[in-house]
Amino acid sequence: MSTSLINTKIQPFNATAYHNGDFVELSEKDVLGKWSIFFFYPADFTFVCPTELGDLADHYAQLQEMGVEVYSVSTDTHFTHKAWHDTSDTIGKITYPMIGDPTGRITRSFGVMIEEEGLALRGTFVMNPEGEIKVIETHDLGIGRSAKELVRKVQAAQYIATHDGEVCPASWQPGEETLAPSLDLVGKI
């Protein structure tokens, strides 16, 4: 059994990322003050990973407009991220930071390390501006994620963060009705 990380705060970290042609130093302090997504994937130069990272790159402008920063993370180094970025058309379109976590410290702190392989599961974590985890999605290695659905989840998390007493039902989209939990709704949905 594991303990859920929902509503816990991001753990301290220091890492180097490949971002827009440069190597940049990042820490948990860089995450605070805005919505963020940590998008863990097993390894560079693989098969499902580039499809996911490319899909996320295609939705990055929309996420930026929503005030969200994206950080992809694998246990590869920032040097490997640069090499992959320079040689793959799909990865070459990424403009969000690609964090290298060769020690696995960040990956372990989010609970997605496959210890016997030294790789991350496909783990997605959405954090609010206070650094609290609000959404967790974890997949087995062979199952790719959908950036479109991730955008919807972020929209729902942002909505409930600013609308006290409301909740978003399944498949909720911005502009649709929400629910206000009350005794009157029990058994009526």
Side-chain angles (χ1 to χ4, degrees):
M1 295 191 98
S2 64
T3 306
S4 177
L5 294 176
I6 291 291
N7 294 321
T8 63
K9 287 201 173 218
I10 187 170
Q11 297 297 306
F13 74 90
N14 289 293
T16 305
Y18 179 69
H19 185 221
N20 291 330
D22 292 315
F23 294 134
V24 297
E25 297 302 315
L26 296 172
S27 76
E28 76 286 353
K29 293 175 185 121
D30 297 301
V31 174
L32 300 177
K34 60 186 168 278
W35 286 85
S36 57
I37 296 169
F38 272 63
F39 197 83
F40 290 86
Y41 64 97
D44 293 0
F45 296 99
T46 56
F47 314 102
V48 176
C49 298
T51 67
E52 291 184 310
L53 294 171
D55 185 35
L56 192 55
D58 292 340
H59 289 83
Y60 184 55
Q62 181 182 8
L63 288 162
Q64 290 275 277
E65 289 171 11
M66 295 165 52
V68 180
E69 185 55 83
V70 173
Y71 303 92
S72 66
V73 186
S74 78
T75 55
D76 297 293
T77 67
H78 53 287
F79 298 112
T80 307
H81 293 332
K82 180 189 183 318
W84 197 23
H85 191 274
D86 291 349
T87 58
S88 166
D89 291 340
T90 299
I91 301 306
K93 66 184 177 180
I94 291 174
T95 57
Y96 50 79
M98 299 178 74
I99 297 175
D101 185 29
T103 67
R105 181 175 178 196
I106 303 167
T107 305
R108 284 184 189 90
S109 75
F110 280 88
V112 291
M113 176 64 90
I114 305 168
E115 290 295 340
E116 60 275 7
E117 296 181 37
L119 302 173
L121 289 167
R122 297 187 190 290
T124 309
F125 300 81
V126 176
M127 285 172 279
N128 68 13
E130 292 76 37
E132 298 167 338
I133 298 170
K134 295 298 177 181
V135 174
I136 298 173
E137 177 182 27
T138 308
H139 288 212
D140 192 12
L141 299 185
I143 304 167
R145 294 162 282 184
S146 165
K148 180 178 178 182
E149 174 59 9
L150 177 57
V151 167
R152 188 200 71 79
K153 289 177 183 181
V154 173
Q155 289 168 329
Q158 289 179 331
Y159 183 89
I160 65 167
T162 58
H163 294 82
D164 195 34
E166 293 183 47
V167 295
C168 297
S171 300
W172 175 87
Q173 296 290 326
E176 294 180 354
E177 283 191 43
T178 59
L179 299 171
S182 70
L183 189 57
D184 295 339
L185 284 182
V186 175
K188 303 216 168 108
I189 297 176

